Amino acid sequence: MAINRKGTSSKVASLAADTLFKPGSSQIARKLAGSALSQSRTNRQTGAEMEDLASKVLRSDRYSDRTKALAGSVLSQSNKKR
């Protein structure tokens, strides 16, 4: 299996932490934030379920730029063979 060695940048990790602590954050934004943070400074890769969610967020007009930034980070850390 191809390994993706990309990790969450400190800027995105900060955005993810803010999202998790912000009371008004949506459930989807929190899921993406949790995934992004779990991949910070580790070799973990995005799972298929999170890939699908991130892809849907990026294709939709419903989500904020912050949520799309998290989705982009999560998607960029996915398994390259999928």
Side-chain angles (χ1 to χ4, degrees), residues 1-56:
M1 174 180 357
I3 295 175
N4 187 345
R5 298 201 189 282
K6 292 183 181 176
T8 302
S9 69
S10 58
K11 183 177 178 180
V12 174
S14 178
L15 174 63
D18 285 347
T19 300
L20 289 174
F21 287 109
K22 187 176 181 184
S25 296
S26 70
Q27 183 178 2
I28 289 176
R30 289 177 187 267
K31 281 184 179 183
L32 292 168
S35 179
L37 277 178
S38 74
Q39 296 171 44
S40 181
R41 296 186 178 151
T42 68
N43 288 329
R44 292 181 178 173
Q45 295 182 38
T46 301
E49 184 179 323
M50 287 305 296
E51 275 183 38
D52 186 48
L53 177 63
S55 176
K56 287 177 183 176

